[in-house]
Amino acid sequence: MVVVMSPKATDQDVARVVEVVEDAGGEAFVSRGKTRTIIGLVGDTERFMALPIPGMPGVESVMRIGKPYKLVAREARAETTKIRVGNIALGRDTFAVIAGPCAIETEDQAMTAARAVKAAGAHILRGDAYKHRTSPYAFQGLAKRGLEILAGMRQETGMPTVTEVMNTADVELVASYSDILRVGARNMQNFELLKEVGKLHQPVMLKRGLSSTIEEWLMAAEYIANQGNEEIILCERGIRTYETMTRNTLDLSAVPLVHNLSHLPIIVDPSHASGRRELVGPLARAAVAVGADGVMMDVHPRPEAALCDGPQAITCDEIGDLIADIVSVAKAIGKPLADPKQNLAAAGE
Ligand code: PEP
Ligand code: MN
């Protein structure tokens, strides 16, 4: 950490800062320039952050040099993280497709979507039993019955699943039904939930919060990793901006940024990012092109009758062509779609 003193700071102001740092068990290195003095702090940064240095006389600014996240930082691992889900290793060498209904509404609707998604060549099924809805009058999901249907989708297709867990009390139950647990955008900073899924020995998908910075998102991932679970898949799902034509604004720059900042894989959800069916294909192709490690898309047999997010769902007939398009872009950038056998062999498993 570096403390920058104002040009008017006195020797006494500098001495006071040094004293506070030393009292906290740190070392302070004073460097006097022509117009201003800077003080380099060595020691426990978290402890220094809690000190009242920014408000002390003569202090102009305080800058953190290191990253606040540690376990999920790129430097924390020699290799990037590959997450084994079913027969694939989701990570930076390949591209995985996750698709399925936003909400599980009926057995027939969910199974029809699951069969179409499998036939189209996707790797992982999505389907929610618990829904976060803006209105308390909107469909909230089938709860445990939905999880049972999800288990049936997995059994029939042989595909691994991802589903949302909304609160700490349900973590154990949801974990017993699904391969991957998802923490939704609205819960990205539900720290108790993050700690609870951090105790699991199974992958967690962490969506970016509605208005969260990339650093806040990585700090949320750090909460999960700090409990011992580093099987984290980050999911960019758009952020709030002033634009109203789309549900959110997809921040594709998050993909290469996260690849530089963290060893964790990152996927993109073009369905929740755009809220518009006609944008899902173009944004999914763009996600591949920018280097994402996967995409997650809503699929519904009859979007016009969907109980949740119909306008952004693509039909069972459209998903095949869309995945074929994704394959072409993935090939063009040398990031093949995850092939169950070759992929795990490449991951050394
Ligand atoms: C979802 O994927 O169904 C969902 C609710 O997304 P988000 O948490 O990103 O809004
Ligand atoms: Mn949805």
Side-chain angles (χ1 to χ4, degrees):
M1 234 167 89
V2 172
V3 178
V4 181
M5 303 301 290
S6 94
K8 291 191 188 125
T10 63
D11 286 350
Q12 203 187 21
D13 293 339
V14 174
R16 273 205 211 104
V17 173
V18 171
E19 193 183 326
V20 165
V21 171
E22 288 175 351
D23 282 352
E27 285 181 276
F29 296 90
V30 178
S31 167
R32 290 178 201 279
K34 265 203 186 124
T35 50
R36 64 180 80 223
T37 296
I38 60 167
I39 310 172
L41 274 46
V42 177
D44 181 348
T45 306
E46 299 312 321
R47 184 135 181 233
F48 296 153
M49 291 298 288
L51 297 172
I53 300 173
M56 289 178 70
V59 172
E60 187 174 279
S61 60
V62 177
M63 286 181 295
R64 187 178 188 134
I65 308 286
K67 292 171 183 154
Y69 43 90
K70 299 175 172 50
L71 299 170
V72 305
R74 183 68 191 87
E75 303 77 42
R77 285 195 178 185
E79 301 282 318
T80 55
T81 293
K82 290 187 177 73
I83 295 176
R84 193 192 162 123
V85 199
N87 286 327
I88 68 153
L90 198 156
R92 226 156 280 191
D93 303 332
T94 54
F95 191 85
V97 177
I98 305 170
C102 177
I104 294 174
E105 300 165 12
T106 65
E107 187 162 8
D108 185 45
Q109 165 256 6
M111 292 306 287
T112 306
R115 285 182 201 119
V117 161
K118 182 181 166 96
H123 304 90
I124 300 169
L125 276 176
R126 68 156 287 156
D128 287 355
Y130 300 91
K131 295 305 306 175
H132 261 136
R133 304 305 298 275
T134 302
S135 164
Y137 309 115
F139 177 62
Q140 307 280 312
L142 299 181
K144 187 152 184 279
R145 176 70 194 126
L147 293 176
E148 287 162 4
I149 295 173
L150 183 72
M153 292 158 73
R154 174 167 59 174
Q155 200 179 358
E156 189 183 311
T157 59
M159 294 167 71
T161 58
V162 56
T163 196
E164 177 154 354
V165 60
M166 289 194 344
N167 62 60
T168 51
D170 294 333
V171 168
E172 208 179 315
L173 177 76
V174 177
S176 70
Y177 279 95
S178 184
D179 301 274
I180 307 172
L181 272 76
R182 198 179 74 243
V183 173
R186 289 154 192 80
N187 261 332
M188 191 205 83
Q189 285 191 324
N190 179 340
F191 299 116
E192 291 310 312
L193 182 61
L194 297 176
K195 285 193 241 172
E196 212 51 38
V197 296
K199 293 178 192 150
L200 296 172
H201 299 285
Q202 67 200 81
V204 174
M205 181 186 290
L206 177 64
K207 285 198 143 188
R208 181 175 179 180
L210 307 180
S211 305
S212 297
T213 64
I214 290 171
E215 188 164 291
E216 286 162 344
W217 189 18
L218 291 172
M219 288 306 285
E222 186 81 8
Y223 261 88
I224 301 173
N226 189 38
Q227 294 294 318
N229 188 356
E230 292 196 26
E231 304 267 286
I232 306 162
I233 303 159
L234 297 165
C235 179
E236 161 63 40
R237 44 78 75 207
I239 46 174
R240 287 217 162 154
T241 66
Y242 49 79
E243 183 54 70
T244 54
M245 292 259 177
T246 47
R247 188 173 177 179
N248 295 289
T249 297
L250 179 59
D251 178 14
L252 280 179
S253 56
V255 174
L257 275 169
V258 163
H259 276 169
N260 287 338
L261 296 170
S262 174
H263 53 81
L264 297 174
I266 172 169
I267 67 159
V268 168
D269 177 347
S271 307
H272 289 83
S274 66
R276 298 174 70 141
R277 172 176 317 120
E278 74 276 20
L279 298 187
V280 171
L283 294 182
R285 293 197 297 271
V288 191
V290 83
D293 305 313
V295 281
M296 180 166 77
M297 300 175 293
D298 286 4
V299 176
H300 197 289
R302 287 179 61 219
E304 68 284 3
L307 297 180
C308 183
D309 291 350
Q312 69 193 37
I314 49 176
T315 65
C316 295
D317 299 331
E318 290 165 334
I319 182 74
D321 284 349
L322 207 155
I323 293 182
D325 281 355
I326 289 175
V327 172
S328 321
V329 183
K331 271 194 191 140
I333 66 152
K335 193 169 163 95
L337 243 68
D339 170 331
K341 288 186 205 93
Q342 286 170 14
N343 181 229
L344 276 187
E349 309 211 9

